[in-house]
Amino acid sequence: MVLPDDAPTYHMYSPDHAYNEEMRKQGSEWLEDGLSRVPAGVKANGHLIAAESVSEGLIAEAEDSSKGGGAGLIVVGTSHHFRLGSIADELLHSSTVPVALAPSEYEDQPAITRITCATGVREGHDVLLKFAIHAAAEWKVPLRLMSLVAVGEDGPEERRQEWSELAQMHINTLAEKAAEVLPPECPVTTVVGHGDTLVDAVNALEFADSEIVMVGSSRLAQPRRLFIGRTATKLMRLLTVPMIVVPRDYDPDEISG
């Protein structure tokens, strides 16, 4: 729970002190309520911190290695389907750790059954693939590599065929690399979505309610920072399953604990 730290405190009888005390009390109650909702068998603890903004507080807490190692994810909700609130938007343009988002209408699932990783040929796709492989191995689930081909409404059939073949060849190569390091219980598959537009390409594919989609940061992102790109933003608005956005140059091997 992140509380504002911009209210000055002069002495114990000041209005500021009383306000801050009330805020801490309310924050503690919200934390206790949240912890009470965590299923049995899931280790959970609460922290009450103060920061300039909620996003800054969450990132600082996620980076704090004094609490058993850095965080693997920051998980936030959305206001309507995948419409971003101010906190989620700030995190998606500044976080140093992956950010996981769930649609507001998303229903809890018993378990994650598959990871779909959106791959491409641009710089940084290897970082995303490494993260997806790491997660699939840890969660012991299948990994599906996805490529999207959108040639435009006026695109000739020859271009569609050429781009589709190139996309398939690329993800086949990545799938071979992933299969070499993943255990047998984590099979690797590939899929290419085709369409005149990105919307058509995504809608041509099927997504299970119990899977998670992973995407990378834009090339505009600063090193080791997250900056959600245009394609990922469009994907977010189309998907009905949770999505994890991975910062540029992020290395899951550096996370301990």
Side-chain angles (χ1 to χ4, degrees):
M1 176 62 63
V2 183
L3 302 179
D5 67 352
D6 57 353
T9 300
Y10 299 104
H11 55 79
M12 65 181 298
Y13 300 109
S14 71
D16 292 323
H17 182 84
Y19 173 77
N20 290 340
E21 281 297 312
E22 186 63 29
M23 286 289 291
R24 282 191 287 269
K25 178 182 177 182
Q26 180 64 78
S28 297
E29 291 176 357
W30 282 334
L31 272 180
E32 289 298 322
D33 178 67
L35 290 170
S36 70
R37 300 168 186 263
V38 178
V42 177
K43 183 180 179 180
N45 53 63
H47 299 275
L48 196 64
I49 62 175
E52 289 287 338
S53 69
V54 174
S55 59
E56 288 183 17
L58 290 172
I59 293 172
E61 189 76 359
E63 293 177 338
D64 192 345
S65 59
S66 67
K67 297 183 175 69
L73 287 172
I74 295 177
V75 183
V76 293
T78 53
S79 57
H80 177 66
H81 186 53
F82 260 130
R83 184 177 298 167
L84 299 179
S86 59
I87 297 173
D89 186 63
E90 290 175 10
L91 288 171
L92 289 174
H93 290 89
S94 61
S95 180
T96 55
V97 300
V99 174
L101 306 103
S104 57
E105 301 90 350
Y106 184 71
E107 296 184 1
D108 294 342
Q109 302 296 315
I112 297 170
T113 59
R114 182 172 67 185
I115 293 172
T116 289
C117 178
T119 64
V121 296
R122 293 180 177 179
E123 180 184 356
H125 74 271
D126 53 333
V127 173
L128 175 63
L129 179 63
K130 181 178 181 180
F131 179 82
I133 291 173
H134 185 276
E138 183 174 351
W139 299 343
K140 295 179 174 57
V141 296
L143 173 62
R144 180 173 70 160
L145 303 183
M146 172 183 72
S147 185
L148 302 173
V149 177
V151 298
E153 295 181 359
D154 299 325
E157 182 60 32
E158 293 79 8
R159 182 193 301 170
R160 185 190 306 271
Q161 185 67 27
E162 179 185 1
W163 287 7
S164 296
E165 290 177 358
L166 289 174
Q168 189 65 63
M169 289 174 58
H170 177 65
I171 60 173
N172 284 347
T173 300
L174 298 182
E176 291 176 1
K177 293 180 180 180
E180 290 176 357
V181 296
L182 282 171
E185 61 266 30
C186 304
V188 182
T189 58
T190 64
V191 65
V192 177
H194 308 267
D196 293 335
T197 66
L198 182 66
V199 174
D200 295 334
V202 173
N203 289 337
L205 303 178
E206 294 184 358
F207 296 89
D209 292 337
S210 53
E211 77 178 290
I212 287 181
V213 174
M214 295 183 176
V215 299
S217 286
S218 165
R219 289 174 295 171
L220 298 176
Q222 296 297 314
R224 301 181 63 81
R225 288 277 175 177
L226 195 157
F227 191 96
I228 189 169
R230 183 171 56 183
T231 299
T233 301
K234 289 183 179 179
L235 270 177
M236 191 185 317
R237 293 169 179 164
L238 294 169
L239 296 173
T240 58
V241 298
M243 179 172 164
I244 296 176
V245 189
V246 183
R248 177 183 170 188
D249 300 331
Y250 181 77
D251 188 355
D253 291 336
E254 295 182 1
I255 301 296
S256 61

